[in-house]
Amino acid sequence: MKSLKFVAVLASLVAILGLLAACSPAQQAAVQQAAPTAAAAAKAVAPTVAAAAAAKTGDMYIPVISKGFQHQFWQAVKQGSEKAAKDLGVRITFEGPESESQVDKQIEMLQAAIDKKPAAICFAALDSKAAIPLLEKAKAANIPVIGFDSGVDSDIVKTTAATDNIAAAAAAADKMAALIGNEGEIAVIVHDQTSRTGIDRRDGFVNRIKEKYPNIKIVDIQYGGGDQLKSTDLAKAILQARPNLKGFFGANEGSIIGVLNAVKELKKEGKVVVIGYDSGKQQIDAIKAGTEAGAITQDPIGIGYKCVEAAVKAVKGETLPKTIDTGFHWYDKTNIDSDQIKPLLYN
Amino acid sequence: MQAQAPAVQSKSLFRSDAMQRLLAFGALIVLFIVFSLLSPNFLQFDNIVGILLATSVNGILALGVTFVIISGGIDLSVGTVMTLSAVMTGVFITMWGLPIPLGILAGLGTGALCGLVNGTVISRMKIPPFIATLGMFYISRGLALIFSGLKPVYFNDTPIFRDLAMGSILGAIIPGFDIPNAVLIMFGAALVAAFILNRTVLGRYTFAIGSNEEATRLSGVNVAFWKTSIYALCSAFAGLGGVVIASRLNSAQPALGAGYELDAIAAAVIGGTSLSGGEGTILGTVIGAFLISTLTNGLRILSVPQEWQIVVTGCILILAVFLDILRRRQR
């Protein structure tokens, strides 16, 4: 009786795994085929031979390791990389840790990706310095690494596909200045003070205001962890403390949604110029309704697409530029549905 | 009375011990076989080393948590105490330029101190462990951010610190057998934990308090003192985890650590530690920690979509505890 139950439970455990494996039988077969090919390509001494072997991109496998996976932004990056995979006939997987503080979890993902013997790896490091030893391992195994988004702070990467966040946030500052008439008090909510994007967007915005607009005063900069609820509370406190506040900048999706919630809850719609970053349904709706003046959008789909495209080029032995600027755009009520902007926004 | 209770305990412990070992170990073997059959990339030296390395920090945290859970308590602060310890190690070595051994002591000491506070709050102020350690979860998380100055502390000036976890003494003895020291540290810590749990007064009272705190108190044991010691020990292990993770990442990451306590608790519970106290083994916990990282790694190697990886991990946790309940019924 005892052993019977034990066997039954173990069997169900195996069944779960079997089911999962069965979900992607084609993928399994592809991995098994791709592995020897990629290994052979990597071992080939003459670059031309490697290029010839890899030119058949059908069996090329490229894991994409991002900084997250469940946020809309990363889903848009995923969409872009999947599109590139389809266009170029390669196979990708997309994964990232659950929160942007889990540096060690991301390292483990990178480790597993290298163990799968891929043709190339796309990687957006949470902390470049912590990832260097593994990247060196990838280099030793002749696996090209392509950086994307915040990229990898090392010359091991062949290239980095990313937004110039400093320039983008400075553009937001210019828009803010124009909309509030070049004077008054403004406040900023940033997602965090430790990540590259957080630092770049804050500094890009703050420095532009300081350099070009002496009559604008940034009265408060707060950090909400990109968490909508926390950012809401912060923004509310700022709005209540500063009745004369003329403008509010939110440096990522979570931050700006917090600002929008606060403005709405305090019934200050239209009284404060709100400028955001990235997109998402709530932000798009707010811009259409006029509660948000506009936002900077990166091109997440382009980031995903260009990093996979660069990875394929790297495997083929093509030379790549040091960075691939994936661009940014200002969008507001007037151009939100235009052909140029619409494809870049995600819901 | 005082001598009797532990004696009875250890006898029943021996039985459950053997059974649970078999179950968890069986499950681990099954996982290994399944993953090896499904992917040629799973059973490779590099990947196995990857699994061992991924187990090391969670394993060390789980060792400490095992003591607390056996004593009938819970510790939700191990993840962030680990972070705070890592940061303090960084502050000592990088910011203050003190010798590395002192930095390691700072990490362990920070952990033990947090545990001392936990234990005191629980046993003297009579605050339930869940709340007391939840408080410490926040306190240590905040302090980690404060002491680090809100940014990672890197150990770039002391390259040797990285070798503490990532160097390989084994590799130096047996060429090619490059198992990182972090893994050895975990096994060493497990041996120490097993010794304390099975061969010392502290271990005996851990079981006694977990089985029947009131009876233990009535038999003249200073429960408050021993409870405080148990929490201090648990957090000292978290401190060790902090030193290892700092060495592994070559940096103390101040924002890391929230949620790690749940992985540690899961490892202990999968390994047969009873959440109602009085039961558990170190070997079980180590196997539990391996089970979790093997599962995570295997699903990754199979390219199972990430969202499904999380679901499967949850299912396995419930299954493991269910096995435990089945075992109890049969006794």
Side-chain angles (χ1 to χ4, degrees):
Chain A
M1 188 61 192
K2 190 189 283 183
S3 54
L4 237 168
K5 272 186 184 165
F6 176 47
V7 169
V9 174
L10 267 187
S12 51
L13 199 153
V14 176
I16 293 176
L17 289 170
L19 257 170
L20 273 162
C23 288
S24 52
Q27 277 191 1
Q28 293 319 318
V31 183
Q32 278 154 13
Q33 281 169 7
T37 321
K43 274 176 195 150
V45 188
T48 45
V49 179
K56 287 183 289 173
T57 51
D59 42 18
M60 200 188 280
Y61 167 56
I62 302 167
V64 182
I65 299 170
S66 84
K67 290 161 72 178
F69 82 105
Q70 56 211 350
H71 301 86
Q72 292 287 321
F73 181 82
W74 297 115
Q75 285 297 318
V77 174
K78 182 182 180 186
Q79 205 184 320
S81 49
E82 277 170 349
K83 187 165 182 298
K86 211 174 146 201
D87 289 355
L88 302 168
V90 298
R91 198 173 66 78
I92 64 145
T93 50
F94 189 97
E95 60 181 341
E98 282 163 57
S99 104
E100 297 200 2
S101 59
Q102 296 180 334
V103 180
D104 57 331
K105 298 271 158 80
Q106 195 193 38
I107 299 279
E108 277 154 26
M109 288 174 180
L110 183 60
Q111 167 82 55
I114 293 172
D115 290 345
K116 283 193 258 184
K117 304 182 178 71
I121 293 174
C122 295
F123 184 54
L126 285 172
D127 186 315
S128 299
K129 287 176 191 161
I132 297 283
L134 274 179
L135 293 174
E136 273 164 359
K137 213 169 135 192
K139 194 184 176 189
N142 274 321
I143 302 168
V145 179
I146 308 296
F148 68 99
D149 188 59
S150 57
V152 184
D153 195 7
S154 153
D155 48 12
I156 293 171
V157 289
K158 302 280 178 198
T159 183
T160 301
T163 312
D164 184 346
N165 277 302
I166 295 179
D174 288 334
K175 284 286 174 189
M176 175 68 83
L179 288 166
I180 62 171
N182 292 332
E183 60 172 1
E185 293 183 343
I186 58 171
V188 180
I189 292 214
V190 187
H191 41 292
D192 70 65
Q193 59 271 71
T194 53
S195 77
R196 194 71 252 158
T197 58
I199 295 166
D200 283 354
R201 288 178 199 174
R202 179 195 62 201
D203 292 352
F205 187 90
V206 172
N207 292 342
R208 176 61 58 94
I209 294 285
K210 276 186 188 157
E211 283 158 17
K212 274 183 75 180
Y213 309 102
N215 295 329
I216 297 178
K217 202 178 156 213
I218 299 176
V219 291
D220 211 343
I221 302 174
Q222 291 284 344
Y223 304 90
D227 180 302
Q228 301 186 2
L229 189 66
K230 264 190 216 160
S231 304
T232 305
D233 292 340
L234 285 173
K236 262 176 107 164
I238 295 172
L239 282 170
Q240 267 161 340
R242 308 277 177 177
N244 297 325
L245 201 75
K246 285 173 87 175
F248 223 132
F249 173 57
N252 82 339
E253 191 190 341
S255 309
I256 191 62
I257 288 168
V259 173
L260 288 171
N261 287 342
V263 167
K264 200 173 156 197
E265 285 171 27
L266 295 173
K267 301 202 169 36
K268 288 212 168 191
E269 291 112 322
K271 288 174 194 150
V272 179
V273 174
V274 179
I275 288 180
Y277 214 104
D278 296 337
S279 43
K281 183 154 177 34
Q282 277 167 283
Q283 192 166 196
I284 291 171
D285 288 349
I287 290 174
K288 284 184 176 166
T291 41
E292 183 176 335
I296 296 286
T297 177
Q298 311 182 65
D299 188 349
I301 298 170
I303 293 174
Y305 193 97
K306 284 184 179 160
C307 74
V308 171
E309 189 183 49
V312 173
K313 281 183 181 166
V315 174
K316 287 182 180 168
E318 292 175 28
T319 47
L320 293 160
K322 208 169 166 345
T323 54
I324 300 171
D325 186 4
T326 51
F328 65 87
H329 302 271
W330 165 260
Y331 71 102
D332 54 22
K333 221 185 211 173
T334 57
N335 66 351
I336 195 164
D337 286 322
S338 70
D339 292 341
Q340 192 200 6
I341 297 296
K342 204 170 182 187
L344 306 182
L345 304 182
Y346 53 86
N347 269 319
Chain B
M1 178 76 193
Q2 192 181 335
Q4 260 176 359
V8 173
Q9 194 53 44
S10 66
K11 196 183 167 199
S12 67
L13 180 80
F14 176 73
R15 274 176 51 202
S16 72
D17 193 12
M19 192 59 205
Q20 186 64 35
R21 257 183 225 179
L22 201 74
L23 288 178
F25 198 64
L28 187 62
I29 300 279
V30 169
L31 274 185
F32 257 81
I33 294 173
V34 170
F35 285 136
S36 303
L37 290 178
L38 289 176
S39 168
N41 294 325
F42 179 77
L43 205 61
Q44 305 241 337
F45 182 74
D46 276 357
N47 192 48
I48 301 304
V49 170
I51 294 174
L52 286 167
L53 199 53
T55 311
S56 56
V57 170
N58 185 35
I60 292 170
L61 296 186
L63 291 175
V65 166
T66 305
F67 281 86
V68 167
I69 297 181
I70 292 177
S71 81
I74 194 83
D75 191 340
L76 299 179
S77 68
V78 287
T80 50
V81 166
M82 168 196 84
T83 309
L84 178 60
S85 304
V87 166
M88 288 319 288
T89 304
V91 167
F92 268 59
I93 295 176
T94 303
M95 292 188 186
W96 296 348
L98 294 170
I100 290 174
L102 253 155
I104 295 169
L105 275 180
L108 296 176
T110 305
L113 202 67
C114 292
L116 213 60
V117 174
N118 272 339
T120 310
V121 169
I122 291 163
S123 57
R124 310 278 176 194
M125 290 166 66
K126 307 284 175 211
I127 292 181
F130 191 96
I131 300 302
T133 57
L134 186 62
M136 181 54 74
F137 167 91
Y138 286 113
I139 293 168
S140 49
R141 200 174 168 188
L143 287 177
L145 286 167
I146 293 167
F147 286 122
S148 64
L150 301 170
K151 53 186 184 294
V153 185
Y154 293 101
F155 296 93
N156 287 346
D157 305 335
T158 46
I160 202 159
F161 179 70
R162 200 186 141 74
D163 291 340
L164 186 73
M166 298 309 285
S168 179
I169 292 178
L170 269 183
I173 300 169
I174 315 160
F177 201 63
D178 292 323
I179 294 191
N181 296 340
V183 178
L184 300 187
I185 294 174
M186 184 194 68
F187 282 122
L191 286 178
V192 172
F195 178 80
I196 298 175
L197 189 63
N198 301 323
R199 295 272 181 278
T200 66
V201 187
L202 177 59
R204 221 161 350 123
Y205 286 152
T206 304
F207 282 111
I209 292 171
S211 321
N212 193 337
E213 188 175 335
E214 191 58 17
T216 314
R217 193 179 61 77
L218 290 175
S219 56
V221 175
N222 184 349
V223 170
F225 171 78
W226 291 108
K227 256 184 151 175
T228 308
S229 310
I230 291 165
Y231 281 91
L233 180 70
C234 170
S235 295
F237 275 110
L240 178 63
V243 174
V244 172
I245 201 169
S247 166
R248 183 177 176 202
L249 297 174
N250 202 24
S251 59
Q253 300 282 345
L256 195 103
Y260 288 41
E261 66 286 345
L262 297 181
D263 282 346
I265 293 168
V269 169
I270 287 176
T273 309
S274 164
L275 274 174
S276 39
E279 258 187 277
T281 62
I282 293 301
L283 185 63
T285 296
V286 172
I287 292 173
F290 269 113
L291 206 74
I292 292 175
S293 45
T294 303
L295 191 69
T296 317
N297 174 280
L299 295 175
R300 245 172 225 162
I301 291 284
L302 294 185
S303 303
V304 170
Q306 202 172 351
E307 46 279 25
W308 283 104
Q309 292 179 17
I310 305 172
V311 175
V312 173
T313 309
C315 294
I316 299 286
L317 177 65
I318 292 174
L319 256 163
V321 178
F322 181 57
L323 276 173
D324 192 45
I325 289 172
L326 284 185
R327 178 176 60 82
R328 250 165 245 275
R329 261 188 225 147
Q330 282 144 14
R331 251 200 291 142

